[in-house]
Amino acid sequence: VADGVLISGLTEAEHRLLDAYEDDDYEPAIISVEVHATGVMRARAYVWAGATEPHDWDPEHFAEHDLPLFAEGCRTWRTSLDPADI
């Protein structure tokens, strides 16, 4: 179980970009998600394939301590891509 954000309406190019970004530590999967306003639905996700601990993901800690470096790394990665790669 994980809290998160469900993003819908992505284009095929955006899906390819996400596929290029996620590494072998994540497995693409179709999962059931509970959406508060609409109930349960199926959604595409990248599921962590490694070992986990009960408190691995803390979105507040990430936002406060890791987000700026993560965003810069994403920006650097994206600008390094050849459009033909996605």
Side-chain angles (χ1 to χ4, degrees):
V1 174
D3 291 329
V5 176
L6 177 62
I7 300 172
S8 61
L10 298 177
T11 66
E12 285 304 313
E14 290 165 329
H15 281 292
R16 285 192 304 274
L17 186 64
L18 286 170
D19 289 342
Y21 178 77
E22 294 299 356
D23 57 26
D24 292 339
D25 291 332
Y26 291 88
E27 296 175 358
I30 302 297
I31 63 169
S32 294
V33 295
E34 182 178 342
V35 180
H36 295 291
T38 60
V40 176
M41 63 181 290
R42 307 286 282 163
R44 184 175 180 208
Y46 296 91
V47 179
W48 175 252
T52 61
E53 297 293 329
H55 301 288
D56 270 350
W57 174 245
D58 180 345
E60 291 175 7
H61 182 272
F62 177 78
E64 187 174 329
H65 299 282
D66 303 314
L67 184 55
L69 185 59
F70 177 78
E72 182 57 35
C74 289
R75 187 176 302 108
T76 300
W77 172 82
R78 180 63 179 98
T79 58
S80 72
L81 283 183
D82 181 335
D85 292 339
I86 54 171

